[in-house]
Amino acid sequence: MRAVDVMTTEIISVGPDTSVQALAALLSERGISGVPVVDAENRVVGIVSEGDVLHRVETGTERRLERRTRGRRSWWLDAVASDRELARDYVKSHARTVRDIMTRDVVSISDTAELADIAMLLETKRIKRVPVVRDGKLVGIVSRANLVRALATTTSAHLWFSDEQPREERLTFRVAAENIPGVRRVEEHIVAQPGQLAESRGAPR
């Protein structure tokens, strides 16, 4: 199975100029933890998550900046004099638009990516979702939930044979069915001739 088989195509996204307040409202109302950021041509320019709005001055949850100089100084002077991490924290907690808090180094995949590769990517990068692009434009999202859902919806294939069909012929059909994307188990059903009992057996993959 590939990304195109499991991805969410009804994509919720925001633009770089979306306000942080509007972003927070969107995440809350839709019950989602993050969204891609796209430009006017639907190209992914960033990704933003609930973690990016966790520490905000409006709610008093901004990271506390340690005073590193003697005497009383304005917190913004301390921020300017501090290292990049403190300056970044200040931007995250005070910025007004998505472009200033989003992650710009976005990991993306093509719609032909194999699920095994996607699962490895989500695990190694420690991310919950990844944008799917085609010709540079956003066409879907694959999340961990999508992969779990794909596992839950994989199906069994049922094959019906006459008891007169040769074993080699039945084996050919079974192997072909096992290689159908999404099929995890093949059930063989042998239809007996009149006066005989029918037989069923499973062949788990």
Side-chain angles (χ1 to χ4, degrees), residues 39-54:
D39 62 15
E41 297 180 347
N42 203 38
R43 297 182 183 277
V44 180
V45 296
I47 196 161
V48 64
S49 71
E50 58 190 4
D52 294 314
V53 295
L54 184 62

Side-chain angles (χ1 to χ4, degrees), residues 55-189:
H55 299 286
R56 294 291 301 181
V57 66
E58 296 92 337
T59 57
T61 56
E62 74 275 21
R63 295 185 187 278
R64 303 301 180 184
L65 302 182
E66 180 182 357
R67 299 184 186 280
R68 300 184 177 182
T69 58
R70 295 180 181 180
R72 296 176 59 83
R73 293 184 59 185
S74 299
W75 56 266
W76 66 270
L77 288 176
D78 286 334
V80 171
S82 67
D83 57 22
R84 287 186 177 181
E85 183 177 353
L86 292 178
R88 182 191 62 194
D89 289 342
Y90 169 71
V91 172
K92 288 277 190 182
S93 62
H94 291 76
R96 298 302 180 187
T97 60
V98 165
R99 72 169 65 252
D100 293 324
I101 65 171
M102 69 184 187
T103 297
R104 296 175 182 271
D105 185 15
V106 182
V107 177
S108 63
I109 58 173
S110 73
D111 58 353
T112 59
E114 297 280 354
L115 293 198
D117 295 330
I118 299 172
M120 182 62 69
L121 178 67
L122 295 179
E123 182 178 17
T124 56
K125 295 294 185 179
R126 296 183 179 180
I127 54 179
K128 296 181 179 180
R129 69 197 64 78
V130 60
V132 183
V133 298
R134 183 189 304 132
D135 298 327
K137 297 186 178 182
L138 181 66
V139 294
I141 293 285
V142 174
S143 67
R144 296 188 179 196
N146 290 129
L147 297 185
V148 173
R149 195 173 300 116
L151 174 62
T153 57
T154 50
T155 59
S156 296
H158 294 267
L159 302 178
W160 297 83
F161 300 107
S162 164
D163 60 355
E164 295 180 348
Q165 286 181 272
R167 178 180 179 281
E168 292 77 12
E169 184 176 327
R170 299 200 306 267
L171 178 61
T172 299
F173 280 108
R174 178 169 64 80
V175 171
E178 288 175 342
N179 283 276
I180 297 175
V183 173
R184 298 185 63 211
R185 181 180 177 84
V186 176
E187 294 278 354
E188 292 184 23
H189 305 275

